[in-house]
Amino acid sequence: MDPVVVQHAEMSTKTNGTCCSNKKGPGYATPIEAVSGPKESLLYVTCVYSGTGIEKPDYLATIDVDPSSPSYSKVIHRMPVPHVGDELHHSGWNSCSSCHGDPSASRRFLILPSLLSGRIYVVDTKDPKAPSVHKVVQSEEIVQKTGLAYPHTSHCLASGDIMVSCLGDKDGNAEGNGFLLLDSEFNVKGRWEKPGHSPLFGYDYWYQPRHNTMISTSWGAPLAFTKGFNPQHVSDGLYGRHIYVYSWPGGELKQTLDLGNTGLIPLEIRFLHEPSKDTGYVGCALSSNMVRFFKDPNDSWSHEVSISVKPLKVKNWILAEMPGLITDFLISLDDRYMYFVNWLHGDVRQYNIEDPKNPVLKGQLWVGTLLKKGSQVVAEDENGNDWQCDVPEVQGKQLRGGPQMIQLSLDGKRLYVTNSLFSSWDKQFYPELMQKGSHMLQIDVDTEKGGLAINPNFFVDFESEPEGPSLAHEMRYPGGDCTSDIWV
């Protein structure tokens, strides 16, 4: 490989046009308008063979989620990528509601970063039911031009560019992480952040243009987390506990917020959808706290713990106490409800956040756990009594693993859930997933009084896939969703 010559790039100077034109761009003018958008009929999910022992390419599955369709709750198309060992993970659109004012923009291409190989696949969804690979951005080119590897979160920008957070350098060192810019033709432009302004660790990010701010989070060093979770690595400083405040779109690191022991391994981050709001949340996995961040009167940013999930005292496990492990969360488009999952404890939660400072628990549902009856892991209550959980069945199948990724319908009434986190962590904590693969659930949501219930008519079982059991991770709708759209 040629020597790395890091390129830094500016965002395109293209504006997002005007919302007064007769023809609109992709997405919706406002989050509230999106709530009234059409009901989802298709869903894309990244499916992984990497790390499972099946030497086949990962693939993008298309799921029929239209209850009136004869193929409802079935995989109707599989798009394998050209290579083996990628670990498809998260995804994002080339254009979203940030481009709504640009009639020349189109939400057609899905960006699929490969967490392990570093490749980025561009998927053409012109035929929504049968996507195809449009382009492959090779990892060698990304490394050569930017030094970046382990790509994770992809967001479209109002400029037409695409930004991808990257978690390390090619050797798995966290010090090499930063933000990759692709242009509208999916060519590598360079790094977004200013030289010398890279975060300590990388993971997720969300930008809020009306506050000239982007905030990113921190998982850990790839050389640590790719091998599974070792508690010693936390003590060794190989996992994050900070969030990073950047100027937007300038790319200058303005503030580093140390979340301390209450914010160990901050993963997913979401601002409230209303773009004038200056508050949001970050789910801290290991501490199992939901942390709220907000702007102070002096234009600096502060944080506080809003929700705490109490760890459970356990036996026969790697630690004496088991955290809930908040691995994913989202906010409904009307900013009324927050949903998050505890991957290890096994519950999905619904909170009313109309008062962002004081979330109120409105719904809770267990859909899998490490503590299921028959498991070697046993919990102990306050009186010293041992206990384990019953795990529900759907269509005669006992649920396995724990809830991991979630996606909400635009109207907020249907919550889709998968159960794979990352292949090496799945193998460590839920080895059953290696033999039986993932499944996908749909949870009915009461948006009036609050409450969650499993839809017994929907169950996608990835155990019976043609190439063998696969691990299903992140989900997207062709028309946009609660975690891909950002409003300018």
Side-chain angles (χ1 to χ4, degrees), residues 216-485:
S216 68
T217 65
S218 45
W219 185 1
L223 56 80
F225 69 69
T226 55
K227 297 177 174 63
F229 179 68
N230 182 345
Q232 182 59 43
H233 287 162
V234 179
S235 302
D236 293 342
L238 295 176
Y239 283 93
R241 65 179 202 184
H242 301 83
I243 58 175
Y244 308 97
V245 181
Y246 281 86
S247 64
W248 185 265
E252 297 176 347
L253 180 59
K254 293 292 190 179
Q255 193 177 354
T256 297
L257 300 180
D258 187 346
L259 307 182
N261 289 334
T262 63
L264 296 175
I265 312 185
L267 295 181
E268 309 299 330
I269 187 168
R270 315 277 185 246
F271 271 96
L272 294 178
H273 291 289
E274 167 52 51
S276 65
K277 301 296 184 182
D278 61 356
T279 191
Y281 300 88
V282 57
C284 301
L286 190 59
S287 299
S288 294
N289 289 325
M290 193 61 65
V291 171
R292 185 177 76 94
F293 56 87
F294 52 93
K295 186 188 282 189
D296 292 326
N298 62 1
D299 279 349
S300 64
W301 293 78
S302 296
H303 63 90
E304 65 182 12
V305 174
S306 290
I307 303 168
S308 292
V309 176
K310 186 177 180 180
L312 299 174
K313 189 175 181 181
V314 293
K315 301 175 182 177
N316 308 320
W317 200 60
I318 61 173
L319 298 171
E321 291 188 331
M322 179 189 293
L325 209 75
I326 300 173
T327 51
D328 194 22
F329 84 99
L330 54 76
I331 296 171
S332 63
L333 286 169
D334 58 8
D335 288 335
R336 290 184 62 214
Y337 291 106
M338 172 199 291
Y339 301 87
F340 71 76
V341 298
N342 289 301
W343 190 56
L344 298 180
H345 288 184
D347 57 314
V348 182
R349 297 192 184 192
Q350 175 195 34
Y351 284 83
N352 184 294
I353 56 168
E354 290 176 286
D355 178 358
K357 296 180 182 179
N358 299 293
V360 179
L361 181 64
K362 302 298 288 187
Q364 190 172 18
L365 183 67
W366 275 264
V367 295
T369 177
L370 269 178
L371 297 164
K372 69 178 181 180
K373 289 184 177 178
S375 166
Q376 67 174 7
V377 184
V378 178
E380 187 177 301
D381 65 19
E382 296 178 353
N383 298 318
N385 300 313
D386 292 348
W387 62 271
Q388 290 180 313
C389 295
D390 288 313
V391 174
E393 291 187 353
V394 179
Q395 298 184 6
K397 297 288 187 74
Q398 187 183 69
L399 301 183
R400 50 192 181 265
Q404 209 287 294
M405 294 301 294
I406 51 178
Q407 190 54 264
L408 189 67
S409 60
L410 298 181
D411 62 10
K413 295 181 179 180
R414 293 166 302 283
L415 186 71
Y416 296 90
V417 185
T418 56
N419 57 355
S420 169
L421 192 159
F422 179 62
S423 61
S424 61
W425 290 41
D426 293 348
K427 184 182 299 184
Q428 180 179 1
F429 293 105
Y430 289 110
E432 183 182 24
L433 295 180
M434 296 295 113
Q435 288 75 47
K436 295 187 177 181
S438 287
H439 51 58
M440 182 188 299
L441 308 173
Q442 189 244 294
I443 294 173
D444 294 324
V445 178
D446 186 334
T447 58
E448 298 302 321
K449 298 179 181 178
L452 305 171
I454 294 174
N455 177 354
N457 300 316
F458 186 96
F459 185 72
V460 184
D461 192 348
F462 291 91
E463 180 179 10
S464 54
E465 286 294 271
E467 301 290 356
S470 65
L471 303 173
H473 190 63
E474 196 206 40
M475 298 161 281
R476 293 277 181 227
Y477 307 127
D481 48 64
C482 294
T483 54
S484 67
D485 278 289

Side-chain angles (χ1 to χ4, degrees), residues 178-253:
F179 303 92
L180 168 69
L181 273 183
L182 304 176
D183 66 20
S184 59
E185 299 298 320
F186 318 113
N187 301 306
V188 176
K189 292 183 69 172
R191 295 174 77 126
W192 168 73
E193 79 276 13
K194 298 294 185 186
H197 287 252
S198 297
L200 298 175
F201 295 98
Y203 187 70
D204 197 21
Y205 72 95
W206 195 279
Y207 62 91
Q208 197 73 314
R210 294 194 192 178
H211 295 281
N212 303 311
T213 296
M214 185 275 272
I215 303 182
S216 68
T217 65
S218 45
W219 185 1
L223 56 80
F225 69 69
T226 55
K227 297 177 174 63
F229 179 68
N230 182 345
Q232 182 59 43
H233 287 162
V234 179
S235 302
D236 293 342
L238 295 176
Y239 283 93
R241 65 179 202 184
H242 301 83
I243 58 175
Y244 308 97
V245 181
Y246 281 86
S247 64
W248 185 265
E252 297 176 347
L253 180 59

Side-chain angles (χ1 to χ4, degrees), residues 1 13 38 40 68 79 95 251 357 431 477:
M1 181 184 294
T13 56
E40 70 280 359
S68 66
M79 187 210 76
S95 297
K357 296 180 182 179
Y477 307 127

